Amino acid sequence: MANEEALQFKGDEDDDEGIISLDSLFFVDRNYELTEFTFGSNSLQLLCLRSASTDYDLTGQLVWPGAVLMNNYLSSHAQILSDRSVIELGSGVGITGMLCSRFCREVVLTDHNDEVLEIIRKNIDLEASRRNQSLLGLTAEKLEWGNREHIEQILQKHPSGFDLVLGADICFQQSSIPHLFVTVQQLLQIKGRGCKFILAYVSRAKMMDTMVVNEAVQQGMRINEVEGTRTTPSSLTNLQNYKFMLEVFQFAASVQETRVNSFH
């Protein structure tokens, strides 16, 4: 898993007990496997893990159920991607962005974790090699939600903004949700009603469900559940979890006039 340099043993001549010092790399698993995924008529090959690293911040190293949901939805509605510009938040290994690149004119994959960004870039190179062409419209950028500097740096390269903001299974930590929707709002306002946010959401806790709705409303967004996307994957049946797609977009009315569909 980790290399030997990540584990250090420190002793003292006057102390029989040693101190084990763990470098941060000790918790990083880089045993990526080349894995094939099929969505409709589109086949993707990506490097990813089968299970997450010990570090909770490295959830982006594997493909989560919401990403599969998102890709199944997009492959069935490819017209919404045709010749569009897309930015994906919390891209992980890049499985959704890679699919989008088959249809979009421009795709920006983002993540805040440098380790995850490294595997995204490797997967971009892998996709370019597989398609035997330079994918100039497919790039990776560092983006920590709520970090205005990161957002401004991206918008300097893409001053026209984006047609779609995507997020697939990215609602894990409650503390990150306010920052997520602040970031989404900043990206949406560049094009106003010409841009929308599509979120593939996995319901894991009612408190998180409520928080997602509240933060979206607070940022002046209307929430519509995409009909026919709510499913219960067999792997989660015993946990009684549900995953479904939400279509979230900015609108001109006041927050008080907002209509919000319930999660359940």
Side-chain angles (χ1 to χ4, degrees), residues 143-152 179 182-183 186:
L143 176 55
E144 181 179 359
W145 301 341
N147 188 315
R148 181 169 289 276
E149 182 179 348
H150 288 176
I151 295 173
E152 289 177 350
H179 301 298
V182 166
T183 299
Q186 291 172 335

Side-chain angles (χ1 to χ4, degrees), residues 12-26:
D12 190 286
E13 293 180 357
D14 300 324
D15 189 353
D16 292 333
E17 294 185 3
I19 300 175
I20 296 178
S21 176
L22 298 179
D23 185 89
S24 59
L25 291 178
F26 181 80

Side-chain angles (χ1 to χ4, degrees), residues 36-126:
E36 186 166 1
F37 300 86
T38 301
F39 304 100
S41 60
N42 296 281
S43 175
L44 302 175
Q45 287 187 342
L46 299 170
L47 293 169
C48 62
L49 295 183
R50 294 291 184 177
S51 58
S53 290
T54 307
D55 189 336
Y56 75 92
D57 199 35
L58 289 172
T59 55
Q61 292 179 299
L62 66 161
V63 175
W64 290 89
V68 175
L69 172 68
M70 175 72 91
N71 282 26
N72 283 331
Y73 172 76
L74 293 175
S75 66
S76 300
H77 301 80
Q79 69 277 6
I80 69 175
L81 299 174
S82 181
D83 200 35
R84 300 292 184 90
S85 59
V86 169
I87 183 169
E88 184 187 9
L89 306 181
S91 298
V93 296
I95 190 168
T96 295
M98 299 298 170
L99 177 66
C100 290
S101 71
R102 304 286 179 91
F103 308 96
C104 298
R105 72 172 184 276
E106 178 182 52
V107 179
V108 178
L109 307 179
T110 71
D111 207 281
H112 76 284
N113 187 286
D114 291 333
E115 182 75 27
V116 175
L117 282 169
E118 182 178 337
I119 193 62
I120 290 175
R121 294 187 174 109
K122 288 181 179 179
N123 279 329
I124 289 176
D125 291 342
L126 187 64

